[in-house]
Amino acid sequence: MPGSKVGDSARVKGPTTNRVRRHEAGAEAPVGNFAPTAIVPAPPPAPTRPPRSLGDFSRAPLEEVAAAVGRHFATSPNEEWRRGRDVREFLQRIAPFPGATWQERWEASGLNELNRPVGDLAGDDTKLRYRLFSGAGHAFAIRLIRPTLHSFHANRFSVYTRWFRSVASDPLLEDFCLRVGQLPVSEPRRTRTMRDICCALTVFGIDLDGLTPEALLHYAVECRKHGLSGETLRSGTFAGTLAWPVLHDMGQFPASAPRTLRAAVTRGQLPVEEAVDRHKLDNPAVRDLLVDYITRRSASLDYSTQRQLTHLLAKVFWKTIEEINPEQKDLRLSEEVSTKWKERLVTLPSGKPRLDVDGPLMAVRALYLDLHTWAVAEPEHWATWVAPCPVSDADLRWFHRRRHRLQERMANRTRERQPLLPILSKHVNDTWSRLRALLDAAESVAPGEEFQFDGATWLRTLSRDDINHNRPPVRVINRGSGELVRLSFEENQAFWQWAVVETLRLAGLRAEELVELSHLSVRQYQRPNGEVVALLVITPSKSDRERVIPMSAELFHVIAQIIRRHRKLHGTVQVCARYDLHEKVWSDELPYLFQTLHGGTQRCMSSTTAWRMIRRACQELEATHPEFVGVKFAPHDFRRLFATELINNGLPIHIGAALLGHLDIRTTRGYVAVFDEDVISHYQQFLARCRAERPEEEYRRPSPEEWTEFEEHFDKRRVELGSCGRPYGTPCAHEHAPLTERTRLIVQFRAQVTLRPSTVCGRDGRSCARAGSVEVGRSSVGSADGDRRPVRALPARRRQRRGRGAGRGVLPGTARCREGGGDRSAPTGWTCCDGGGSCTRSKCRGIERHSWTLGISAAGSS
């Protein structure tokens, strides 16, 4: 947006050097987004013949100079006297200083330095102060004195551009000023642009045909560095921003020069050497190793991944190792050093916990393993650096679990924002609709007139700067509240805010894909039945694959509104360049849809600008919707919500992956957040489909006899207790098992196998709820689910559960049954007991209510 800071930018391709530039000891590494590399800023060479259209007055007497200035600038006799007086008083102040020319006297006076305005010579005399400013300005304009950049901006000249143009009489300069006057910007910005060029020509002592891109870049950089011409480091802008594209279009700059000043000052893709040197590594051998390693890896990496790898290895890894152990000379780290590094890794320098701990660990592990592999093929280059990897398998033990936790956080983030998305969409749509209607009502009346809108009275106003604007903005005042609304500006912001939110919501694009949409992306496809389908072609981005999205009616409406807006303002969708914030390169000029006016020229919107628009919309909703407090919508949240809506509404996941541009459907599955309501509704729909496919007679109302039999089944078999899970109407696998209430199997391998009661299973099979059974005659022990294992297999089973050995084998023994002192009939091989081997009950109720112990002797024992 206009006035916004310039973000990360790209260096334009140009002449470079292969020499490795290392930082000197104690020198500051180059930082910031504006380190010119494609064009080296430098002042132009001094002209052999300085331009002096009025003549050479460098050695002329004071009165001769004053008379010449008066004659040239005067429009009346009175004004001729005033102009001559101002120059005379100025030259009288510097005449006493030594020098053969006026330039030498000016330099000897000390007024050519920083923060030394000529007006200080007047003391408290305000009128004299302004006369001295006027005299110095006229002396600069006729090229009598050549000031430095600092001394020029230290003085105040209200109409210096007019003075300089009248003296120069340069047709090329007049053409430049004419072009600047047609720019769709305010008059103050046009005036400042022309003043910047006149100032640069004065300081360099040249005409406009001698102004090179390097000279203008030098002027812009120096002004920004020292806070001159109203441009400061915090403003993010440069002097001469509007002048650069005008000079380029005029042919003053060569075609190989960047199209804009921003392209000339941006940093661009740093070489690997410079990227590593930014971190000031103390060990030159390790520094060279990292440069060679990253350079070899860069062949298969994009620039953003290469930059991240450089940061992890140079800054996060080795710079931290040098801080822990300054004497470390190679990659062979001690256990103490590696442990301290891992402890520091979990915390960011700001003190906050590091969320992505696996990234540095995986990068360092890949470094060591790659060195191991490369040393086999190229031992002379890599073998000396082979060392044990400090990142062990135990450090990555929880890698997959952390990935699952990350996916859970993303799914929870999606679930939190899903109910907020309709509110956000409605807000941006209502805001733009209201401002658009208000703008239409304001444009229907002349400035200074009142009009009614939405039950309120509004007054269209016009400021002094708007009168001379090539595209006057619309401003209105609410007569009731007195609020001043920059209507055209706010309506433009609301439109692009609506366009960004709706396109992301309806297409599920990545932020980079959004800003890469162009007029050429809109296609159409005719189906065999004659139906025409609007398509949106997405250029390759992350996956380097082009894909096509069929546009819905809502998405087509948004794209059509964007194209209609461009045609209304410019007659067509203008071509402009786009800067890739990740790859740090400039694209070819294309008719991008998301483009706005920046510095008087059309420029493609950045993904950062789109993110700021979304954030501003959320902040506007905080006052009326408390649920938006603290909520941050990112462009990728719209993509996850789009994927969730597609898949949860029944679209096959492989089709959703194609629409999203995913090469693997597992990536799409990770985007989809599952809601509890969706699980319940989809399962109910599944049951309904299953019931619809079964015969209708299975759903008749049961008779009273059938219902009674069904209830008896649960009562007798005790399915409600969970002790027998057989289906209704099927025979029980535990029929006639001679086991009693609550039987459970406890195996004692050294001497005997003991069966203790846990369930009920009668011989008649009516009260079977047995969970296991024993067949003594076959020497096997089994369970109700059909699992029968020989007795000889029990020791192995016990070793699996308890991890130790047992007896070799068992044989069936004999059975005895007693109640009190008398024996009682019992199955062969069983003894009636109650824990201690004898029956302690008052009455023996038979085998159905007894505890039975099977005595089995170990093989080979008596």
Side-chain angles (χ1 to χ4, degrees), residues 530-543:
E531 179 185 1
V532 177
V533 180
L535 302 177
L536 193 63
V537 180
I538 308 302
T539 55
S541 59
K542 183 177 180 180
S543 61

Side-chain angles (χ1 to χ4, degrees), residues 410-411 414 636-645 670-673:
M410 292 296 100
T414 302
H636 220 68
D637 289 328
F638 294 90
R639 182 171 172 82
R640 293 182 178 274
L641 289 167
F642 178 77
T644 300
E645 183 180 2
Y671 273 47
V672 178

Side-chain angles (χ1 to χ4, degrees), residues 496-811:
W496 290 112
Q497 184 174 271
W498 168 79
V500 166
V501 171
E502 290 300 283
T503 306
L504 291 174
R505 181 180 70 89
L506 298 171
L509 305 179
R510 301 180 179 94
E512 297 80 14
E513 296 171 346
L514 172 75
V515 297
E516 288 176 0
L517 290 178
S518 69
H519 200 180
L520 305 177
S521 302
V522 182
R523 309 281 181 85
Q524 64 180 15
Y525 167 71
Q526 186 172 4
R527 302 180 63 184
N529 59 1
E531 179 185 1
V532 177
V533 180
L535 302 177
L536 193 63
V537 180
I538 308 302
T539 55
S541 59
K542 183 177 180 180
S543 61
D544 199 23
R545 289 182 58 190
E546 185 179 80
R547 69 182 192 274
V548 178
I549 298 178
M551 285 194 286
S552 63
E554 292 177 305
L555 179 58
F556 184 81
H557 170 70
V558 176
I559 300 300
Q561 287 289 344
I562 296 175
I563 297 175
R564 184 181 295 114
R565 191 176 190 87
H566 285 304
R567 288 179 173 175
K568 178 182 178 181
L569 295 177
H570 313 293
T572 184
V573 182
Q574 292 186 329
V575 295
C576 63
R578 188 190 68 85
Y579 176 67
D580 193 331
L581 291 175
H582 298 283
E583 293 302 310
K584 307 295 183 184
V585 293
W586 289 90
S587 71
D588 297 331
E589 292 190 347
L590 291 172
Y592 291 106
L593 295 181
F594 289 85
Q595 59 172 286
T596 53
L597 188 65
H598 290 262
T601 59
Q602 291 295 125
R603 195 173 68 195
C604 183
M605 188 183 300
S606 67
S607 56
T608 304
T609 303
W611 183 86
R612 289 173 180 169
M613 290 182 176
I614 299 171
R615 182 183 60 178
R616 183 169 57 247
C618 293
Q619 292 174 347
E620 294 171 356
L621 282 167
E622 291 181 359
T624 56
H625 293 79
E627 58 269 27
F628 275 87
V629 176
V631 174
K632 295 181 179 180
F633 260 92
H636 220 68
D637 289 328
F638 294 90
R639 182 171 172 82
R640 293 182 178 274
L641 289 167
F642 178 77
T644 300
E645 183 180 2
L646 289 181
I647 306 305
N648 288 346
N649 285 333
L651 186 72
I653 192 169
H654 66 282
I655 302 298
L659 292 176
L660 293 171
H662 291 158
L663 301 180
D664 193 342
I665 62 173
R666 290 177 294 182
T667 306
T668 310
R669 188 179 296 111
Y671 273 47
V672 178
V674 180
F675 294 83
D676 295 337
E677 180 62 28
D678 293 331
V679 174
I680 297 174
S681 62
H682 281 75
Y683 186 70
Q684 289 178 346
Q685 294 173 11
F686 166 75
L687 293 179
R689 289 194 300 268
C690 292
R691 292 192 184 101
E693 295 176 357
R694 297 182 66 87
E696 296 182 359
E697 57 270 12
E698 293 187 3
Y699 296 98
R700 63 178 176 82
R701 182 178 296 277
S703 63
E705 294 78 9
E706 292 174 339
W707 186 255
T708 302
E709 182 184 359
F710 181 73
E711 289 180 338
E712 289 177 355
H713 164 78
F714 282 96
D715 183 40
K716 293 178 180 180
R717 302 299 186 184
R718 300 188 181 182
V719 177
E720 72 277 7
L721 298 178
S723 54
C724 185
R726 72 181 183 85
Y728 172 71
T730 60
C732 179
H734 315 130
E735 294 276 11
H736 314 298
L739 304 178
T740 58
E741 180 78 7
R742 301 185 59 77
T743 305
R744 65 188 179 90
L745 179 63
I746 301 179
V747 183
Q748 299 177 352
F749 293 100
R750 292 185 178 181
Q752 63 180 7
V753 177
T754 303
L755 294 178
R756 299 190 182 276
S758 63
T759 60
V760 175
C761 189
R763 285 182 176 272
D764 56 0
R766 294 185 177 180
S767 58
C768 176
R770 172 73 177 96
S773 65
V774 176
E775 295 182 9
V776 180
R778 300 182 182 177
S779 299
S780 63
V781 178
S783 61
D785 55 2
D787 179 19
R788 294 187 174 275
R789 302 174 184 270
V791 177
R792 294 181 182 273
L794 292 177
R797 189 174 182 180
R798 184 174 184 270
R799 283 196 299 271
Q800 292 177 0
R801 295 186 177 181
R802 299 190 179 182
R804 59 186 182 182
R808 297 181 179 177
V810 293
L811 296 174

Side-chain angles (χ1 to χ4, degrees), residues 330-532:
D330 54 16
L331 298 182
R332 192 176 297 274
L333 306 181
S334 64
E335 185 67 24
E336 180 183 1
V337 173
S338 62
T339 301
K340 289 183 178 179
W341 173 69
K342 295 171 187 176
E343 292 174 353
R344 288 194 183 187
L345 187 63
V346 298
T347 306
L348 294 172
S350 61
K352 298 181 180 180
R354 185 188 299 272
L355 297 180
D356 183 21
V357 180
D358 298 315
L361 293 177
M362 296 294 288
V364 173
R365 184 180 177 90
L367 168 66
Y368 278 81
L369 297 183
D370 286 341
L371 293 178
H372 291 177
T373 305
W374 298 347
V376 177
E378 305 175 57
E380 69 282 356
H381 188 63
W382 307 104
T384 57
W385 295 102
V386 174
C389 181
V391 181
S392 62
D393 293 339
D395 296 326
L396 300 175
R397 179 180 303 169
W398 306 109
F399 171 75
H400 295 289
R401 179 168 295 184
R402 285 192 289 266
R403 294 294 299 176
H404 291 328
R405 299 290 85 80
L406 175 62
Q407 291 181 358
E408 291 176 359
R409 291 198 302 269
M410 292 296 100
N412 185 58
R413 180 185 178 96
T414 302
R415 284 189 285 267
E416 289 177 351
R417 283 155 180 74
Q418 192 269 345
L420 303 181
L421 182 59
I423 302 176
L424 178 61
S425 176
K426 184 177 183 302
H427 168 72
V428 296
N429 184 75
D430 293 347
T431 301
W432 176 56
S433 299
R434 177 181 177 277
L435 291 176
R436 179 183 57 180
L438 180 58
L439 179 61
D440 293 340
E443 289 178 340
S444 63
V445 299
E449 296 183 3
E450 294 183 350
F451 61 96
Q452 299 292 325
F453 177 79
D454 198 16
T457 303
W458 298 81
L459 173 65
R460 180 175 178 179
T461 183
L462 198 66
S463 65
R464 184 181 61 181
D465 295 336
D466 296 339
I467 297 176
N468 297 323
H469 201 291
N470 292 332
R471 193 181 299 169
V474 179
R475 307 173 193 266
V476 295
I477 299 177
N478 190 325
R479 304 294 283 177
S481 61
E483 176 188 7
L484 174 64
V485 179
R486 298 185 299 168
L487 190 53
S488 56
F489 172 78
E490 294 189 8
E491 190 272 340
N492 183 69
Q493 279 195 329
F495 171 80
W496 290 112
Q497 184 174 271
W498 168 79
V500 166
V501 171
E502 290 300 283
T503 306
L504 291 174
R505 181 180 70 89
L506 298 171
L509 305 179
R510 301 180 179 94
E512 297 80 14
E513 296 171 346
L514 172 75
V515 297
E516 288 176 0
L517 290 178
S518 69
H519 200 180
L520 305 177
S521 302
V522 182
R523 309 281 181 85
Q524 64 180 15
Y525 167 71
Q526 186 172 4
R527 302 180 63 184
N529 59 1
E531 179 185 1
V532 177

Side-chain angles (χ1 to χ4, degrees), residues 66 69-70 74-89 131 134-135 138:
V69 169
T75 57
S76 64
N78 189 22
E79 186 176 0
E80 179 180 354
W81 175 81
R82 289 199 306 270
R83 303 288 184 184
R85 179 200 59 185
D86 296 344
V87 173
R88 186 181 299 107
E89 291 183 349
R131 292 199 298 270
S134 176
H138 286 88

